């Protein structure tokens, strides 16, 4: 009986000496990989999948994007940037839209076009990224606050955007579109 107990102890020692270093190495690799990947994922870049057709024809449902979360910590969004943000009426949802109006501007939508005014100067929005026959529907005048942005979807006829639910506060902006990864045929950097 004592011999069997000694054999069991010997076997446990052998297994421990053989496999414990392997388990420790795997655990170290996992810890190091997590220390590298998690900060990148949560503070620098994150994935986003487009749902719906509000950004067609430039982005289609199912497009897989990488969002740059770092740039807007050092600069403000610019007109024409494609941003990912928390939907103001339900911050658990994420939306993708194009920045049209910047803080302190007045946006006038009338007769299918967008006019932007600030400090007595105004101009009609030139949107060379959209089809020429595209019109922006609705009649509205929106005055943006000091930290507000006005956003529109590229598919103006079918987009649920600032015309319907108002401005996007800067604090709700997650980041800007950096890369389109999928589909591979549409891979591009923005």
């Amino acid at each position: 009986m004592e011999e069997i107990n000694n054999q069991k102890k010997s076997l446990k020692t052998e297994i421990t000496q053989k496999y414990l270093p392997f388990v420790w190495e795997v655990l170290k690799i996992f810890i190091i990989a997590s220390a590298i990947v998690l900060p990148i994922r949560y503070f620098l870049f994150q994935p986003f999948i487009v749902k719906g057709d509000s950004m067609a024809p430039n982005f289609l449902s199912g497009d897989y994007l990488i969002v740059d979360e770092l740039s807007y910590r050092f600069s403000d969004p610019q007109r024409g940037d494609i941003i990912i943000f928390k939907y103001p009426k339900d911050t658990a949802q994420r939306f993708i839209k194009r920045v049209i109006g910047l803080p302190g501007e007045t946006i006038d939508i009338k007769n299918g076009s967008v006019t932007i005014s600030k400090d007595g100067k105004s101009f009609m929005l030139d949107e060379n990224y959209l089809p020429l026959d595209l019109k922006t529907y609705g009649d509205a005048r929106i005055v943006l606050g000091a930290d507000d942005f006005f956003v529109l979807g590229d598919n103006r006829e079918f987009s649920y955007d600032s015309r319907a639910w108002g401005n996007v506060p800067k604090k709700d902006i997650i980041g800007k579109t950096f890369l389109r990864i999928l589909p591979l045929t549409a891979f591009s950097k923005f």
Side-chain angles (χ1 to χ4, degrees):
M1 187 72 161
E2 189 175 318
E3 188 176 317
I4 292 175
N5 284 338
N6 286 338
Q7 285 178 347
K8 284 182 180 179
K9 285 181 184 177
S10 175
L11 184 60
K12 283 182 182 178
T13 303
E14 184 180 326
I15 289 172
T16 302
Q17 289 174 349
K18 206 175 204 180
Y19 294 107
L20 190 59
F22 172 75
V23 170
W24 175 241
E25 286 301 314
V26 169
L27 187 60
K28 282 195 309 191
I29 291 169
F30 177 77
I31 291 169
I32 291 169
S34 295
I36 294 169
V37 171
L38 290 177
I40 290 171
R41 164 62 176 85
Y42 286 102
F43 300 110
L44 302 176
F45 299 99
Q46 71 172 271
F48 180 82
I49 298 173
V50 177
K51 292 183 179 125
D53 292 325
S54 74
M55 290 299 289
N58 295 312
F59 295 90
L60 302 176
S61 192
D63 283 2
Y64 189 88
L65 309 174
I66 300 297
V67 178
D68 169 5
E69 295 183 86
L70 188 60
S71 292
Y72 292 152
R73 294 177 194 207
F74 302 105
S75 65
D76 289 332
Q78 301 299 306
R79 190 177 336 279
D81 284 358
I82 301 153
I83 62 170
I84 310 301
F85 58 94
K86 298 173 189 173
Y87 170 50
K89 295 194 180 271
D90 179 4
T91 56
Q93 293 186 54
R94 305 293 185 253
F95 277 24
I96 179 172
K97 301 290 179 208
R98 189 177 299 272
V99 174
I100 300 300
L102 304 175
E105 294 180 335
T106 300
I107 312 299
D108 286 300
I109 300 173
K110 194 170 196 167
N111 299 325
S113 63
V114 179
T115 303
I116 299 171
S117 307
K118 185 173 183 178
D119 299 330
K121 299 176 187 173
S122 64
F123 62 93
M124 190 171 292
L125 186 62
D126 177 25
E127 299 183 283
N128 57 3
Y129 42 81
L130 298 177
L132 294 175
D133 60 344
L134 186 83
K135 302 289 182 212
T136 303
Y137 295 99
D139 284 329
R141 174 169 258 238
I142 300 97
V143 178
L144 299 174
D147 285 325
D148 290 340
F149 292 84
F150 185 82
V151 297
L152 293 173
D154 288 353
N155 188 357
R156 301 289 161 79
E157 188 174 355
F158 300 104
S159 178
Y160 184 60
D161 50 37
S162 285
R163 293 173 292 178
W165 38 257
N167 306 326
V168 176
K170 184 177 181 182
K171 68 178 178 57
D172 288 346
I173 297 174
I174 296 167
K176 68 179 175 178
T177 302
F178 177 64
L179 285 175
R180 178 180 8 222
I181 302 289
L182 295 174
L184 290 175
T185 55
F187 181 88
S188 52
K189 182 178 185 274
F190 299 94

